[in-house]
Amino acid sequence: MEYRRLGKSGLQLSALSFGSWLTFGKQIGDRTAEDLMSVAYDYGVNFFDNAEIYSRGQSEIVMGEILKRKGWRRDSYTVSSKVFFGLGGKDLKPTQKGLNRKHVIEACDQAMTRLQVDYLDLYFCHRPDKQTPIEETVWTMHNLIQQGKVLYWGTSEWSAQEIMEAHMVAQRYSLIGPVMEQPQYNLLERQKVEVEYAQLYSGVGLGTTIWSPLASGVLTGKYNDGFPADTRLGIEGLGWLKDSALVEANLERAKKLSAFAAEIGMNMPVLAIAWCLKNPNVSTVILGASKTAQLVENFKALEAKEKLTNEVMTRIDEILNNKPLLPAY
Ligand SMILES: NC(=O)c1ccc[n+]([C@@H]2O[C@H](COP(=O)([O-])OP(=O)(O)OC[C@H]3O[C@@H](n4cnc5c(N)ncnc54)[C@H](OP(=O)(O)O)[C@@H]3O)[C@@H](O)[C@H]2O)c1
């Protein structure tokens, strides 16, 4: 395993980490979840990603049980939660969501209970909240860190401007600011990480824990020739994800990339994950998996990265024709 600093912080995360969205407490059984976490931990993964909304809290309950059963030393791994959506559902009351002080604090306590831990290593604001002043959220995160309940805080899918506003507030009051952002980043989704945040890496030392490196499976190539059974995009209730992921432009690019991967003798998922790892502004690539064989395969990306020479990276850009342009100033 390779370890990378989380932005300017001193925390070193495994370059490949593991998350539980749509799988734990939903698509897969608890036994498979445990097998996946064991394979990951044994491979050197030291970051497990979670959120209050994942399977409406059930994902954290499953992960907490596994952490307890495995008995791994608490100082050998990091675990996260994310706050904003609450536990979801139609009956959610206004006090049970958002980034207001009440919900951020209560959600932190509830996540620690579900995960059976005394503190969260990473705590993310899962989306920006237009209903809460940024000062309130920054102060709350700072206080949670002072209380020892959270070690590092960050954001997910915030704009560069929103992240900078949080930093300005932190600087104004000498508070601990956000250290990491969790954006989507993969061969099909590049704008935020490559352009929008470009000034933030050196400017404020932003770290990134990137999600959906395989675009929910599209970048494995398995949807190239029809719809295979027993896959994420076939799960009942995920029509919205299927509709956004399986658009023609994505499938076309996946097909072209599959041909190129075959040409250089690499599996598509390995190529797609290795490509994410090539970006030095990526602190960790969060993997998802429904089967241990997938995870074992995906870990090969660490070695495969060495094969992605400048020439290969240029070929990929030419094939995809989606490299975002940096502003000319
Ligand atoms: N902050 C956010 O808003 C946000 C949003 C989404 C995700 N995340 C985090 O990021 C993590 C990873 O995201 P993701 O699960 O969407 O990642 P992903 O890598 O894009 O998709 C993972 C899925 O692709 C399929 N897959 C993986 N490896 C494969 C292989 N070698 N061959 C064939 N199929 C393979 C599996 O689904 P099937 O086998 O079911 O097809 C697996 O569950 C999540 O668990 C979560 O922690 C965060």
Side-chain angles (χ1 to χ4, degrees):
M1 182 54 71
E2 172 190 336
Y3 296 89
R4 296 183 178 186
R5 279 177 65 186
L6 181 62
K8 71 172 180 194
S9 85
L11 185 68
Q12 297 202 25
L13 295 185
S14 48
L16 296 176
S17 46
F18 182 60
S20 58
W21 181 53
L22 299 177
T23 49
F24 285 33
K26 196 175 171 86
Q27 185 189 6
I28 62 175
D30 297 355
R31 181 69 232 181
T32 306
E34 181 164 341
D35 289 347
L36 285 163
M37 277 182 71
S38 304
V39 167
Y41 185 84
D42 288 346
Y43 202 88
V45 164
N46 71 0
F47 168 39
F48 296 106
D49 187 58
N50 222 318
E52 57 173 355
I53 185 66
Y54 294 175
S55 304
R56 299 190 178 184
Q58 195 57 33
S59 166
E60 292 182 335
I61 291 174
V62 172
M63 191 174 276
E65 277 301 311
I66 295 169
L67 290 173
K68 187 178 161 199
R69 253 197 316 276
K70 298 306 287 186
W72 296 321
R73 284 181 57 125
R74 183 66 184 90
D75 57 9
S76 68
Y77 65 86
T78 64
V79 65
S80 74
S81 184
K82 307 187 201 81
V83 56
F84 175 73
F85 294 105
L87 295 181
K90 285 196 294 288
D91 300 328
L92 213 57
K93 296 183 170 34
T95 50
Q96 295 174 321
K97 60 184 177 183
L99 299 180
N100 56 83
R101 181 174 293 118
K102 180 171 171 65
H103 184 61
V104 171
I105 289 176
E106 288 173 347
C108 178
D109 287 337
Q110 290 160 12
M112 288 193 295
T113 302
R114 286 189 294 264
L115 287 163
Q116 304 190 49
V117 293
D118 298 329
Y119 60 91
L120 300 173
D121 300 275
L122 309 181
Y123 195 32
F124 293 88
C125 297
H126 212 160
R127 292 292 180 271
D129 180 5
K130 306 282 179 223
Q131 309 296 323
T132 302
I134 186 73
E135 283 86 352
E136 184 172 331
T137 304
V138 177
W139 268 106
T140 305
M141 286 296 189
H142 174 81
N143 288 339
L144 283 171
I145 290 177
Q146 299 293 90
Q147 291 165 16
K149 291 183 176 182
V150 168
L151 303 190
Y152 299 89
W153 80 275
T155 57
S156 179
E157 295 295 335
W158 283 31
S159 67
Q161 185 179 338
E162 287 159 340
I163 294 170
M164 278 316 294
E165 280 172 18
H167 274 281
M168 282 160 62
V169 169
Q171 279 163 14
R172 191 177 316 141
Y173 301 107
S174 297
L175 307 176
I176 298 171
V179 98
M180 70 285 180
E181 154 67 35
Q182 187 166 129
Q184 183 176 179
Y185 184 55
N186 56 51
L187 281 155
L188 303 171
E189 190 71 46
R190 305 174 56 168
Q191 184 72 21
K192 253 197 161 91
V193 168
E194 294 185 26
V195 179
E196 187 178 340
Y197 298 155
Q199 308 291 324
L200 301 187
Y201 304 120
S202 57
V204 295
L206 186 75
T208 58
T209 66
I210 63 116
W211 60 268
S212 283
L214 298 176
S216 276
V218 174
L219 287 169
T220 63
K222 67 179 167 186
Y223 297 101
N224 285 359
D225 307 305
F227 204 86
D230 189 25
T231 55
R232 171 180 294 182
L233 299 181
I235 298 175
E236 212 185 305
L238 289 187
W240 60 272
L241 185 59
K242 181 180 171 191
D243 290 347
S244 62
L246 285 187
V247 292
E248 200 44 48
N250 286 354
L251 281 173
E252 225 173 84
R253 289 198 167 104
K255 283 178 195 169
K256 286 183 188 162
L257 270 171
S258 296
F260 179 64
E263 192 185 314
I264 60 170
M266 214 182 268
N267 278 353
M268 256 294 270
V270 173
L271 170 71
I273 293 165
W275 180 88
C276 295
L277 284 170
K278 286 287 286 185
N279 187 331
N281 296 316
V282 167
S283 315
T284 182
V285 175
I286 313 177
L287 303 176
S290 66
K291 299 172 184 66
T292 49
Q294 293 174 349
L295 213 44
V296 171
E297 176 70 15
N298 297 347
F299 284 137
K300 294 183 186 154
L302 278 167
E303 264 180 45
K305 174 166 63 87
E306 308 310 324
K307 290 194 197 158
L308 299 192
T309 58
N310 290 344
E311 197 188 341
V312 171
M313 293 295 274
T314 304
R315 277 287 303 281
I316 292 173
D317 281 340
E318 285 164 4
I319 290 166
L320 291 175
N321 194 25
N322 68 350
K323 188 178 166 73
L325 288 178
L326 277 169
Y329 49 84

mmCIF file of all heavy atoms in Angstrom, residues 136-169:
data_model
loop_
_atom_site.group_PDB
_atom_site.id
_atom_site.type_symbol
_atom_site.label_atom_id
_atom_site.label_comp_id
_atom_site.label_asym_id
_atom_site.label_seq_id
_atom_site.Cartn_x
_atom_site.Cartn_y
_atom_site.Cartn_z
ATOM 1 N N GLU A 136 -21.611 29.364 11.667
ATOM 2 C CA GLU A 136 -22.179 28.405 12.626
ATOM 3 C C GLU A 136 -21.574 27.010 12.419
ATOM 4 O O GLU A 136 -21.222 26.317 13.379
ATOM 5 C CB GLU A 136 -23.705 28.362 12.453
ATOM 6 C CG GLU A 136 -24.407 27.467 13.453
ATOM 7 C CD GLU A 136 -25.929 27.594 13.383
ATOM 8 O OE1 GLU A 136 -26.441 28.682 13.015
ATOM 9 O OE2 GLU A 136 -26.619 26.603 13.699
ATOM 10 N N THR A 137 -21.427 26.624 11.168
ATOM 11 C CA THR A 137 -20.887 25.286 10.881
ATOM 12 C C THR A 137 -19.396 25.211 11.231
ATOM 13 O O THR A 137 -18.940 24.240 11.846
ATOM 14 C CB THR A 137 -21.099 24.954 9.387
ATOM 15 O OG1 THR A 137 -22.497 25.078 9.094
ATOM 16 C CG2 THR A 137 -20.659 23.539 9.069
ATOM 17 N N VAL A 138 -18.650 26.245 10.874
ATOM 18 C CA VAL A 138 -17.203 26.212 11.147
ATOM 19 C C VAL A 138 -16.947 26.182 12.657
ATOM 20 O O VAL A 138 -16.144 25.390 13.160
ATOM 21 C CB VAL A 138 -16.478 27.413 10.484
ATOM 22 C CG1 VAL A 138 -14.989 27.415 10.844
ATOM 23 C CG2 VAL A 138 -16.634 27.364 8.968
ATOM 24 N N TRP A 139 -17.681 27.035 13.395
ATOM 25 C CA TRP A 139 -17.527 27.039 14.858
ATOM 26 C C TRP A 139 -17.867 25.673 15.449
ATOM 27 O O TRP A 139 -17.185 25.170 16.345
ATOM 28 C CB TRP A 139 -18.455 28.091 15.500
ATOM 29 C CG TRP A 139 -17.814 29.443 15.696
ATOM 30 C CD1 TRP A 139 -18.050 30.567 14.970
ATOM 31 C CD2 TRP A 139 -16.843 29.796 16.690
ATOM 32 N NE1 TRP A 139 -17.283 31.605 15.436
ATOM 33 C CE2 TRP A 139 -16.531 31.166 16.498
ATOM 34 C CE3 TRP A 139 -16.199 29.105 17.713
ATOM 35 C CZ2 TRP A 139 -15.617 31.850 17.286
ATOM 36 C CZ3 TRP A 139 -15.283 29.788 18.511
ATOM 37 C CH2 TRP A 139 -14.995 31.142 18.294
ATOM 38 N N THR A 140 -18.938 25.058 14.934
ATOM 39 C CA THR A 140 -19.370 23.761 15.475
ATOM 40 C C THR A 140 -18.321 22.696 15.226
ATOM 41 O O THR A 140 -17.988 21.901 16.114
ATOM 42 C CB THR A 140 -20.718 23.342 14.844
ATOM 43 O OG1 THR A 140 -21.659 24.389 15.042
ATOM 44 C CG2 THR A 140 -21.250 22.069 15.480
ATOM 45 N N MET A 141 -17.771 22.668 14.017
ATOM 46 C CA MET A 141 -16.733 21.684 13.702
ATOM 47 C C MET A 141 -15.498 21.918 14.580
ATOM 48 O O MET A 141 -14.903 20.969 15.107
ATOM 49 C CB MET A 141 -16.358 21.766 12.218
ATOM 50 C CG MET A 141 -17.407 21.171 11.304
ATOM 51 S SD MET A 141 -17.576 19.386 11.629
ATOM 52 C CE MET A 141 -18.624 18.887 10.282
ATOM 53 N N HIS A 142 -15.123 23.180 14.734
ATOM 54 C CA HIS A 142 -13.978 23.507 15.588
ATOM 55 C C HIS A 142 -14.217 22.999 17.013
ATOM 56 O O HIS A 142 -13.343 22.371 17.621
ATOM 57 C CB HIS A 142 -13.766 25.027 15.585
ATOM 58 C CG HIS A 142 -12.710 25.485 16.541
ATOM 59 N ND1 HIS A 142 -11.360 25.439 16.249
ATOM 60 C CD2 HIS A 142 -12.801 25.977 17.811
ATOM 61 C CE1 HIS A 142 -10.667 25.889 17.285
ATOM 62 N NE2 HIS A 142 -11.518 26.219 18.241
ATOM 63 N N ASN A 143 -15.420 23.250 17.515
ATOM 64 C CA ASN A 143 -15.722 22.827 18.891
ATOM 65 C C ASN A 143 -15.701 21.304 19.027
ATOM 66 O O ASN A 143 -15.235 20.768 20.036
ATOM 67 C CB ASN A 143 -17.085 23.386 19.346
ATOM 68 C CG ASN A 143 -17.010 24.891 19.583
ATOM 69 O OD1 ASN A 143 -15.918 25.438 19.790
ATOM 70 N ND2 ASN A 143 -18.138 25.564 19.521
ATOM 71 N N LEU A 144 -16.200 20.606 18.013
ATOM 72 C CA LEU A 144 -16.183 19.132 18.068
ATOM 73 C C LEU A 144 -14.743 18.625 18.116
ATOM 74 O O LEU A 144 -14.432 17.649 18.804
ATOM 75 C CB LEU A 144 -16.920 18.535 16.857
ATOM 76 C CG LEU A 144 -18.453 18.586 16.930
ATOM 77 C CD1 LEU A 144 -19.071 18.176 15.594
ATOM 78 C CD2 LEU A 144 -18.977 17.685 18.054
ATOM 79 N N ILE A 145 -13.861 19.306 17.392
ATOM 80 C CA ILE A 145 -12.445 18.912 17.425
ATOM 81 C C ILE A 145 -11.865 19.199 18.817
ATOM 82 O O ILE A 145 -11.167 18.363 19.399
ATOM 83 C CB ILE A 145 -11.652 19.635 16.313
ATOM 84 C CG1 ILE A 145 -12.075 19.078 14.942
ATOM 85 C CG2 ILE A 145 -10.139 19.460 16.516
ATOM 86 C CD1 ILE A 145 -11.441 19.745 13.736
ATOM 87 N N GLN A 146 -12.204 20.376 19.357
ATOM 88 C CA GLN A 146 -11.712 20.718 20.703
ATOM 89 C C GLN A 146 -12.182 19.701 21.736
ATOM 90 O O GLN A 146 -11.488 19.407 22.698
ATOM 91 C CB GLN A 146 -12.214 22.110 21.132
ATOM 92 C CG GLN A 146 -11.764 23.240 20.240
ATOM 93 C CD GLN A 146 -10.265 23.477 20.298
ATOM 94 O OE1 GLN A 146 -9.521 22.885 19.535
ATOM 95 N NE2 GLN A 146 -9.825 24.326 21.196
ATOM 96 N N GLN A 147 -13.395 19.166 21.528
ATOM 97 C CA GLN A 147 -13.944 18.180 22.480
ATOM 98 C C GLN A 147 -13.392 16.776 22.257
ATOM 99 O O GLN A 147 -13.737 15.848 22.985
ATOM 100 C CB GLN A 147 -15.469 18.123 22.336
ATOM 101 C CG GLN A 147 -16.192 19.373 22.824
ATOM 102 C CD GLN A 147 -17.638 19.414 22.315
ATOM 103 O OE1 GLN A 147 -18.176 18.414 21.860
ATOM 104 N NE2 GLN A 147 -18.259 20.577 22.419
ATOM 105 N N GLY A 148 -12.598 16.604 21.204
ATOM 106 C CA GLY A 148 -12.018 15.281 20.936
ATOM 107 C C GLY A 148 -12.973 14.320 20.248
ATOM 108 O O GLY A 148 -12.686 13.131 20.123
ATOM 109 N N LYS A 149 -14.113 14.835 19.779
ATOM 110 C CA LYS A 149 -15.067 13.933 19.118
ATOM 111 C C LYS A 149 -14.748 13.751 17.631
ATOM 112 O O LYS A 149 -15.197 12.807 17.000
ATOM 113 C CB LYS A 149 -16.490 14.494 19.246
ATOM 114 C CG LYS A 149 -17.028 14.454 20.678
ATOM 115 C CD LYS A 149 -18.447 14.955 20.715
ATOM 116 C CE LYS A 149 -19.028 14.818 22.109
ATOM 117 N NZ LYS A 149 -20.429 15.268 22.154
ATOM 118 N N VAL A 150 -14.036 14.716 17.075
ATOM 119 C CA VAL A 150 -13.664 14.691 15.658
ATOM 120 C C VAL A 150 -12.189 15.062 15.568
ATOM 121 O O VAL A 150 -11.717 15.920 16.321
ATOM 122 C CB VAL A 150 -14.526 15.715 14.865
ATOM 123 C CG1 VAL A 150 -13.996 15.927 13.467
ATOM 124 C CG2 VAL A 150 -15.992 15.274 14.825
ATOM 125 N N LEU A 151 -11.455 14.428 14.628
ATOM 126 C CA LEU A 151 -10.035 14.777 14.486
ATOM 127 C C LEU A 151 -9.801 15.729 13.300
ATOM 128 O O LEU A 151 -9.015 16.661 13.398
ATOM 129 C CB LEU A 151 -9.193 13.516 14.326
ATOM 130 C CG LEU A 151 -9.309 12.481 15.463
ATOM 131 C CD1 LEU A 151 -8.237 11.408 15.301
ATOM 132 C CD2 LEU A 151 -9.203 13.123 16.842
ATOM 133 N N TYR A 152 -10.469 15.471 12.174
ATOM 134 C CA TYR A 152 -10.316 16.337 10.990
ATOM 135 C C TYR A 152 -11.698 16.547 10.393
ATOM 136 O O TYR A 152 -12.499 15.619 10.349
ATOM 137 C CB TYR A 152 -9.420 15.671 9.934
ATOM 138 C CG TYR A 152 -8.021 15.403 10.419
ATOM 139 C CD1 TYR A 152 -7.718 14.200 11.067
ATOM 140 C CD2 TYR A 152 -7.004 16.346 10.260
ATOM 141 C CE1 TYR A 152 -6.426 13.951 11.543
ATOM 142 C CE2 TYR A 152 -5.716 16.096 10.730
ATOM 143 C CZ TYR A 152 -5.434 14.903 11.372
ATOM 144 O OH TYR A 152 -4.171 14.654 11.839
ATOM 145 N N TRP A 153 -11.967 17.758 9.918
ATOM 146 C CA TRP A 153 -13.264 17.971 9.277
ATOM 147 C C TRP A 153 -13.086 18.474 7.856
ATOM 148 O O TRP A 153 -12.039 19.036 7.501
ATOM 149 C CB TRP A 153 -14.169 18.877 10.111
ATOM 150 C CG TRP A 153 -13.929 20.365 10.031
ATOM 151 C CD1 TRP A 153 -13.041 21.082 10.760
ATOM 152 C CD2 TRP A 153 -14.633 21.306 9.201
ATOM 153 N NE1 TRP A 153 -13.142 22.425 10.441
ATOM 154 C CE2 TRP A 153 -14.117 22.588 9.488
ATOM 155 C CE3 TRP A 153 -15.657 21.201 8.259
ATOM 156 C CZ2 TRP A 153 -14.577 23.751 8.857
ATOM 157 C CZ3 TRP A 153 -16.115 22.349 7.632
ATOM 158 C CH2 TRP A 153 -15.580 23.604 7.930
ATOM 159 N N GLY A 154 -14.099 18.210 7.055
ATOM 160 C CA GLY A 154 -14.027 18.618 5.661
ATOM 161 C C GLY A 154 -15.403 18.728 5.036
ATOM 162 O O GLY A 154 -16.422 18.751 5.745
ATOM 163 N N THR A 155 -15.409 18.768 3.727
ATOM 164 C CA THR A 155 -16.643 19.046 2.986
ATOM 165 C C THR A 155 -16.816 17.977 1.895
ATOM 166 O O THR A 155 -15.892 17.210 1.630
ATOM 167 C CB THR A 155 -16.535 20.424 2.314
ATOM 168 O OG1 THR A 155 -15.357 20.410 1.470
ATOM 169 C CG2 THR A 155 -16.389 21.538 3.336
ATOM 170 N N SER A 156 -17.986 17.955 1.304
ATOM 171 C CA SER A 156 -18.189 17.060 0.158
ATOM 172 C C SER A 156 -19.074 17.754 -0.858
ATOM 173 O O SER A 156 -20.180 18.198 -0.518
ATOM 174 C CB SER A 156 -18.833 15.746 0.613
ATOM 175 O OG SER A 156 -19.036 14.900 -0.496
ATOM 176 N N GLU A 157 -18.564 17.869 -2.059
ATOM 177 C CA GLU A 157 -19.283 18.518 -3.161
ATOM 178 C C GLU A 157 -19.604 19.981 -2.853
ATOM 179 O O GLU A 157 -20.678 20.468 -3.199
ATOM 180 C CB GLU A 157 -20.549 17.735 -3.526
ATOM 181 C CG GLU A 157 -20.277 16.353 -4.091
ATOM 182 C CD GLU A 157 -19.535 16.377 -5.441
ATOM 183 O OE1 GLU A 157 -19.619 17.370 -6.161
ATOM 184 O OE2 GLU A 157 -18.848 15.374 -5.750
ATOM 185 N N TRP A 158 -18.680 20.658 -2.183
ATOM 186 C CA TRP A 158 -18.793 22.104 -2.022
ATOM 187 C C TRP A 158 -18.078 22.770 -3.198
ATOM 188 O O TRP A 158 -17.148 22.191 -3.775
ATOM 189 C CB TRP A 158 -18.130 22.554 -0.709
ATOM 190 C CG TRP A 158 -18.942 22.293 0.524
ATOM 191 C CD1 TRP A 158 -19.818 21.276 0.741
ATOM 192 C CD2 TRP A 158 -18.914 23.061 1.739
ATOM 193 N NE1 TRP A 158 -20.345 21.358 2.006
ATOM 194 C CE2 TRP A 158 -19.814 22.449 2.645
ATOM 195 C CE3 TRP A 158 -18.229 24.202 2.153
ATOM 196 C CZ2 TRP A 158 -20.043 22.944 3.930
ATOM 197 C CZ3 TRP A 158 -18.442 24.695 3.434
ATOM 198 C CH2 TRP A 158 -19.353 24.075 4.312
ATOM 199 N N SER A 159 -18.493 23.998 -3.507
ATOM 200 C CA SER A 159 -17.779 24.745 -4.540
ATOM 201 C C SER A 159 -16.481 25.276 -3.937
ATOM 202 O O SER A 159 -16.336 25.363 -2.703
ATOM 203 C CB SER A 159 -18.632 25.915 -5.046
ATOM 204 O OG SER A 159 -18.783 26.865 -4.011
ATOM 205 N N ALA A 160 -15.544 25.660 -4.822
ATOM 206 C CA ALA A 160 -14.286 26.238 -4.336
ATOM 207 C C ALA A 160 -14.572 27.484 -3.501
ATOM 208 O O ALA A 160 -13.931 27.732 -2.472
ATOM 209 C CB ALA A 160 -13.384 26.588 -5.524
ATOM 210 N N GLN A 161 -15.565 28.257 -3.926
ATOM 211 C CA GLN A 161 -15.893 29.477 -3.188
ATOM 212 C C GLN A 161 -16.399 29.161 -1.779
ATOM 213 O O GLN A 161 -16.020 29.811 -0.800
ATOM 214 C CB GLN A 161 -16.948 30.274 -3.954
ATOM 215 C CG GLN A 161 -17.234 31.596 -3.282
ATOM 216 C CD GLN A 161 -18.267 32.419 -4.037
ATOM 217 O OE1 GLN A 161 -18.476 32.215 -5.231
ATOM 218 N NE2 GLN A 161 -18.901 33.338 -3.340
ATOM 219 N N GLU A 162 -17.237 28.147 -1.682
ATOM 220 C CA GLU A 162 -17.764 27.777 -0.351
ATOM 221 C C GLU A 162 -16.639 27.280 0.561
ATOM 222 O O GLU A 162 -16.603 27.595 1.752
ATOM 223 C CB GLU A 162 -18.845 26.710 -0.508
ATOM 224 C CG GLU A 162 -20.138 27.268 -1.078
ATOM 225 C CD GLU A 162 -21.037 26.212 -1.708
ATOM 226 O OE1 GLU A 162 -20.554 25.116 -2.066
ATOM 227 O OE2 GLU A 162 -22.227 26.505 -1.858
ATOM 228 N N ILE A 163 -15.718 26.529 -0.014
ATOM 229 C CA ILE A 163 -14.586 26.037 0.794
ATOM 230 C C ILE A 163 -13.744 27.226 1.272
ATOM 231 O O ILE A 163 -13.344 27.305 2.438
ATOM 232 C CB ILE A 163 -13.724 25.040 -0.023
ATOM 233 C CG1 ILE A 163 -14.540 23.782 -0.328
ATOM 234 C CG2 ILE A 163 -12.444 24.689 0.723
ATOM 235 C CD1 ILE A 163 -13.887 22.833 -1.329
ATOM 236 N N MET A 164 -13.527 28.197 0.371
ATOM 237 C CA MET A 164 -12.743 29.382 0.753
ATOM 238 C C MET A 164 -13.453 30.211 1.815
ATOM 239 O O MET A 164 -12.804 30.769 2.700
ATOM 240 C CB MET A 164 -12.436 30.241 -0.483
ATOM 241 C CG MET A 164 -11.254 29.768 -1.294
ATOM 242 S SD MET A 164 -9.820 29.289 -0.296
ATOM 243 C CE MET A 164 -9.338 30.854 0.414
ATOM 244 N N GLU A 165 -14.773 30.290 1.721
ATOM 245 C CA GLU A 165 -15.526 31.031 2.756
ATOM 246 C C GLU A 165 -15.302 30.383 4.122
ATOM 247 O O GLU A 165 -15.113 31.072 5.132
ATOM 248 C CB GLU A 165 -17.020 31.048 2.415
ATOM 249 C CG GLU A 165 -17.365 32.101 1.381
ATOM 250 C CD GLU A 165 -18.806 31.995 0.896
ATOM 251 O OE1 GLU A 165 -19.636 31.360 1.578
ATOM 252 O OE2 GLU A 165 -19.080 32.537 -0.188
ATOM 253 N N ALA A 166 -15.320 29.049 4.151
ATOM 254 C CA ALA A 166 -15.082 28.346 5.421
ATOM 255 C C ALA A 166 -13.680 28.671 5.940
ATOM 256 O O ALA A 166 -13.484 28.902 7.140
ATOM 257 C CB ALA A 166 -15.245 26.839 5.221
ATOM 258 N N HIS A 167 -12.713 28.727 5.041
ATOM 259 C CA HIS A 167 -11.344 29.051 5.469
ATOM 260 C C HIS A 167 -11.232 30.481 5.981
ATOM 261 O O HIS A 167 -10.520 30.757 6.945
ATOM 262 C CB HIS A 167 -10.367 28.831 4.304
ATOM 263 C CG HIS A 167 -9.907 27.424 4.220
ATOM 264 N ND1 HIS A 167 -8.933 26.892 5.029
ATOM 265 C CD2 HIS A 167 -10.335 26.398 3.448
ATOM 266 C CE1 HIS A 167 -8.765 25.607 4.749
ATOM 267 N NE2 HIS A 167 -9.607 25.287 3.790
ATOM 268 N N MET A 168 -11.946 31.391 5.323
ATOM 269 C CA MET A 168 -11.890 32.792 5.765
ATOM 270 C C MET A 168 -12.469 32.943 7.165
ATOM 271 O O MET A 168 -11.937 33.663 8.007
ATOM 272 C CB MET A 168 -12.618 33.690 4.762
ATOM 273 C CG MET A 168 -11.759 33.958 3.528
ATOM 274 S SD MET A 168 -12.717 34.485 2.107
ATOM 275 C CE MET A 168 -13.407 36.000 2.713
ATOM 276 N N VAL A 169 -13.569 32.229 7.420
ATOM 277 C CA VAL A 169 -14.166 32.268 8.759
ATOM 278 C C VAL A 169 -13.176 31.688 9.773
ATOM 279 O O VAL A 169 -12.933 32.262 10.845
ATOM 280 C CB VAL A 169 -15.491 31.458 8.798
ATOM 281 C CG1 VAL A 169 -15.968 31.272 10.237
ATOM 282 C CG2 VAL A 169 -16.549 32.149 7.965
#
